[in-house]
């Protein structure tokens, strides 16, 4: 993003807001979802493009310069809990409360995902692409598991079953390849390779 002072927020009031950290003001509010907006993220390479996901079952792409929705997809048969851009390819991945993970081609006009992955037995809370590889994803969910995926074959590479409650958070290390951290309702933070 060329303007590093801008941040976005997602809200239960069904909006996404654009904030300026220098002036401490809200610059714009984006409306278009008809449910809680769980997540809003910046595109890693396209300036002014954001993605959002919501309890209205949709993934939306926005152009903050024109204040318009440029793509809206019914991504899951349930809430879309999280989305993440691939940093190396023009794809995005979504996590659904229906227990599925879907990958989407951002250039395509199709409303059908590139792939739909079934692996979690309950709601998928978060899904992320690796910052080091376009071929690696990791997800966590209410089935208390962390799953690592081959993004090309959609096959699981590993399953970590170390939490005793819902797993809420996941992140890849930005400094060390293949290191992942997770946190859950069991009040534990796990870091593993």
């Amino acid at each position: 993003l060329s303007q590093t002072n801008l941040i976005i927020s997602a809200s239960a009031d069904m909006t996404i807001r654009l904030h300026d950290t220098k002036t401490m003001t809200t610059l714009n509010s984006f409306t278009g979802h008809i449910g809680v907006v769980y997540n809003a993220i910046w595109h890693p390479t396209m300036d002014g493009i954001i993605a959002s996901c919501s309890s209205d079952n949709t993934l939306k792409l926005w152009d903050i310069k024109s204040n318009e929705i440029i793509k809206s997809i019914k991504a899951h048969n349930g809430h879309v809990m999280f989305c993440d851009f691939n940093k190396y390819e023009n794809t995005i991945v979504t996590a659904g409360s229906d227990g599925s993970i879907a990958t989407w081609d951002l250039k395509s006009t199709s409303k059908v995902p590139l792939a739909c992955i079934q692996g979690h037995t309950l709601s998928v809370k978060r899904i992320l692409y690796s910052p080091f590889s376009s071929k690696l994803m990791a997800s966590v969910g209410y089935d208390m598991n962390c799953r690592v995926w081959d993004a090309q074959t959609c096959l699981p590479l590993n399953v970590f079953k170390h939490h005793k409650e819902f797993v809420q958070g996941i992140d890849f290390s930005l400094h060390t390849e293949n290191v992942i951290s997770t946190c859950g309702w069991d009040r534990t933070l796990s870091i593993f390779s």
Side-chain angles (χ1 to χ4, degrees), residues 5 15 18 43 55 96 111-112 125 133 158 168:
N5 57 303
T15 65
L18 177 66
H43 192 287
S55 65
K111 302 285 183 173
V112 178
K125 183 63 177 164
S133 170
N158 213 333
Q168 291 289 105

Side-chain angles (χ1 to χ4, degrees), residues 2 6 13 18 24 27 34 39 44 64 67 69 77 97 100 103 116 136 141 146 161 187:
S2 60
L6 299 180
D13 70 3
L18 177 66
M24 301 303 287
L27 302 176
I34 54 171
N39 175 230
I64 66 164
N67 197 24
I69 298 170
N77 291 321
S97 66
S100 70
T103 57
C116 188
L136 191 66
C146 172
K161 300 182 177 193
R187 298 181 182 181

Side-chain angles (χ1 to χ4, degrees), residues 123-134:
S123 179
V124 184
K125 183 63 177 164
R126 297 224 190 291
I127 178 81
L128 293 173
Y129 279 104
S130 166
F132 293 98
S133 170
S134 65

Side-chain angles (χ1 to χ4, degrees), residues 33-38 52-58 78-81:
H33 283 292
I34 54 171
V36 172
V37 183
Y38 291 117
S52 62
C53 58
S54 168
S55 65
D56 65 10
N57 304 1
T58 65
H79 297 202
V80 185
M81 306 298 289

Side-chain angles (χ1 to χ4, degrees), residues 62-139:
W62 307 77
D63 182 341
I64 66 164
K65 295 169 189 163
S66 66
N67 197 24
E68 292 182 7
I69 298 170
I70 53 177
K71 185 176 273 212
S72 182
I73 300 168
K74 182 182 182 243
H76 293 274
N77 291 321
H79 297 202
V80 185
M81 306 298 289
F82 206 78
C83 58
D84 189 42
F85 286 106
N86 188 318
K87 286 77 175 164
Y88 303 98
E89 297 175 6
N90 208 10
T91 58
I92 192 168
V93 65
T94 54
S97 66
D98 59 2
S100 70
I101 296 164
T103 57
W104 305 89
D105 182 347
L106 295 175
K107 296 177 286 189
S108 174
T109 57
S110 173
K111 302 285 183 173
V112 178
L114 289 171
C116 188
I117 305 168
Q118 300 291 333
H120 287 276
T121 56
L122 296 171
S123 179
V124 184
K125 183 63 177 164
R126 297 224 190 291
I127 178 81
L128 293 173
Y129 279 104
S130 166
F132 293 98
S133 170
S134 65
K135 298 172 181 67
L136 191 66
M137 299 185 299
S139 60

